[in-house]
Amino acid sequence: MALLEIKDVSKYFDDKEVLKGVSLKVEKGDVVSILGASGSGKTTFLRCINYLENADSGVMVFDGKEYDLKASSRKEMTEIRKKTGFVFQNYNLFANKTVLENVTLGLTSGRKIPAGMAKDRAVKVLDKVGMADYLDYYPSQLSGGQQQRVAIARALATDPEVIYFDEPTSALDPQLTAEVLQVMRQLAKDGMTMIVVTHEMSFAKEVSTKVVFMADGVVVEESTPADFFNNPQDPKTREFLAL
Ligand SMILES: Nc1ncnc2c1ncn2[C@@H]1O[C@H](COP(=O)(O)OP(=O)(O)O)[C@@H](O)[C@H]1O
Ligand SMILES: [Mg+2]
């Protein structure tokens, strides 16, 4: 059974349909890269499946339990958030909190984990992303790449079953992009299940188990990286890859 199956998500903003029935199946250990031009609905899709946005229809089956993405209870939303992590394009760290506090906050206040235990866990995940020497730094004292690695540590700290990344490197210059991608490659190697909206073709090609190409609110093509890049089927995919 798939870890996560999303069926037929639709979403309107006013009278504009930005998701027109998007479906996706994710197995444990999958790294799914979602590609597509700006405005194709990638962010909205990730936000709908984590309840940051309310879908107009669609169902998600997570660990065998079915969730109605349009009408889930608070309890169901909390359940899903506990099983998932989210990494945003602009890191979304608390500016007035240290690196350590940014990572422990969701553990101590969100999950009622005792402070000592939360700190141990935070140090462990910060070490994993190469940020254990920066516990007392504030986000403004860090590069964008370092901030994003802290954000990844924050997502990891809650021991999620899947992490969603929304263009995690698009605000970074090439060198900082490389250090964040390196962390993501390592997570993939460790077996973390990930859905990654990205424009990094080398990541999609080399790290993904599955590539999904979206355009205008629909999945145009879904395949293995080898098929996607070497043998694209849809004319829209060919056009996208030629860019
Ligand atoms: N909060 C919003 N209100 C109105 N329109 C939105 C909102 N968020 C996104 N959109 C529109 O929905 C479409 C898809 O956006 P988005 O999901 O951000 O695409 P992508 O992440 O692929 O660039 C775009 O046309 C965008 O302008
Ligand atoms: Mg986006």
Side-chain angles (χ1 to χ4, degrees):
M1 188 185 57
L3 169 65
L4 176 59
E5 187 168 3
I6 301 146
K7 300 179 207 168
D8 219 17
V9 181
S10 77
K11 173 70 183 171
Y12 284 82
F13 284 116
D14 301 319
D15 53 3
K16 186 172 190 266
E17 191 177 21
V18 302
L19 295 177
K20 303 169 183 168
V22 176
S23 299
L24 179 65
K25 209 180 210 177
V26 182
E27 310 287 341
K28 193 169 161 34
D30 262 347
V31 177
V32 180
S33 288
I34 301 181
L35 309 178
S38 173
S40 53
K42 307 179 300 295
T43 293
T44 305
F45 177 67
L46 282 190
R47 290 175 61 84
C48 283
I49 63 176
N50 207 29
Y51 297 116
L52 295 168
E53 203 78 68
N54 205 356
D56 291 307
S57 66
V59 167
M60 176 164 69
V61 182
F62 200 129
D63 283 334
K65 183 175 169 185
E66 189 166 304
Y67 298 83
D68 180 347
L69 290 173
K70 178 189 165 71
S72 287
S73 65
R74 256 215 109 76
K75 181 167 165 280
E76 289 173 316
M77 292 186 191
T78 306
E79 264 170 33
I80 290 300
R81 296 229 179 91
K82 281 199 169 153
K83 291 171 188 263
T84 61
F86 206 105
V87 175
F88 299 85
Q89 183 173 357
N90 292 315
Y91 335 126
N92 281 20
L93 299 176
F94 290 108
N96 60 343
K97 301 220 178 294
T98 64
V99 164
L100 181 63
E101 290 165 343
N102 265 285
V103 178
T104 54
L105 193 68
L107 301 174
T108 51
S109 81
R111 282 152 213 250
K112 310 285 176 236
I113 292 170
M117 211 185 275
K119 182 176 175 187
D120 289 347
R121 207 194 275 188
V123 170
K124 203 165 140 207
V125 289
L126 283 163
D127 188 45
K128 205 171 161 92
V129 302
M131 290 300 294
D133 292 337
Y134 296 86
L135 299 186
D136 297 325
Y137 283 60
Y138 286 88
S140 62
Q141 299 171 301
L142 303 175
S143 73
Q146 290 174 322
Q147 290 184 63
Q148 192 60 298
R149 286 187 282 141
V150 172
I152 292 172
R154 177 178 57 182
L156 278 175
T158 60
D159 198 20
E161 292 180 39
V162 53
I163 303 182
Y164 306 134
F165 295 80
D166 190 5
E167 297 199 27
T169 61
S170 61
L172 303 174
D173 66 32
Q175 191 195 332
L176 302 182
T177 292
E179 71 188 34
V180 170
L181 289 178
Q182 186 47 40
V183 166
M184 293 172 64
R185 273 174 200 267
Q186 186 58 48
L187 291 185
K189 222 178 257 175
D190 294 345
M192 177 57 75
T193 309
M194 302 158 50
I195 303 180
V196 185
V197 172
T198 186
H199 294 294
E200 293 295 332
M201 294 301 155
S202 62
F203 180 87
K205 202 181 252 177
E206 294 157 22
V207 185
S208 307
T209 55
K210 189 186 274 186
V211 176
V212 170
F213 172 60
M214 285 181 66
D216 297 325
V218 300
V219 173
V220 171
E221 186 152 346
E222 175 178 346
S223 57
T224 63
D227 281 342
F228 186 84
F229 289 102
N230 301 329
N231 189 21
Q233 297 300 307
D234 194 282
K236 281 187 186 159
T237 312
R238 293 199 200 106
E239 190 187 336
F240 175 78
L241 289 173
L243 284 179

